[in-house]
Amino acid sequence: LFALRAGGIVLGAKAGAYLVDAEPAHRDKYWMTLLTQAGVTLGLITRVGDALPISGELTTLVIATVVLNQFVGPPLFKAAVLAVGDAHADYAPADGGRLGVL
């Protein structure tokens, strides 16, 4: 299930990047930033779990997949930011920089 979800994200991100003619350096990295996006998944599985007779097994499987994505996703997100050159090595929130003030 994890591989199917990840594969769908990769295909969707690549197709979307192609359709909008995204910057070439970013096209192959978008999927890495989307892997941890699972809030809707958790909401839907609770609703589906109430409606289906196999709710316990399905709910457990989907939540386990989301947890796995939460472990794998953040390092991939960081790798994508570094790969496209958008990381700011000298940025520190305590220095009062533009990004540190909301």
Side-chain angles (χ1 to χ4, degrees), residues 33-101:
T33 65
L34 299 172
L35 202 57
T36 59
Q37 303 302 314
V40 172
T41 303
L42 292 175
L44 286 174
I45 195 58
T46 58
R47 298 289 293 201
V48 170
D50 293 339
L52 294 178
I54 59 165
S55 64
E57 296 86 2
L58 180 63
T59 302
T60 301
L61 180 63
V62 171
I63 291 174
T65 301
V66 168
V67 169
L68 184 58
N69 283 309
Q70 296 302 315
F71 282 113
V72 174
L76 286 176
F77 190 97
K78 182 178 180 179
V81 171
L82 292 170
V84 298
D86 283 345
H88 302 283
D90 58 344
Y91 169 69
D95 71 4
R98 180 178 60 85
L99 296 174
V101 178

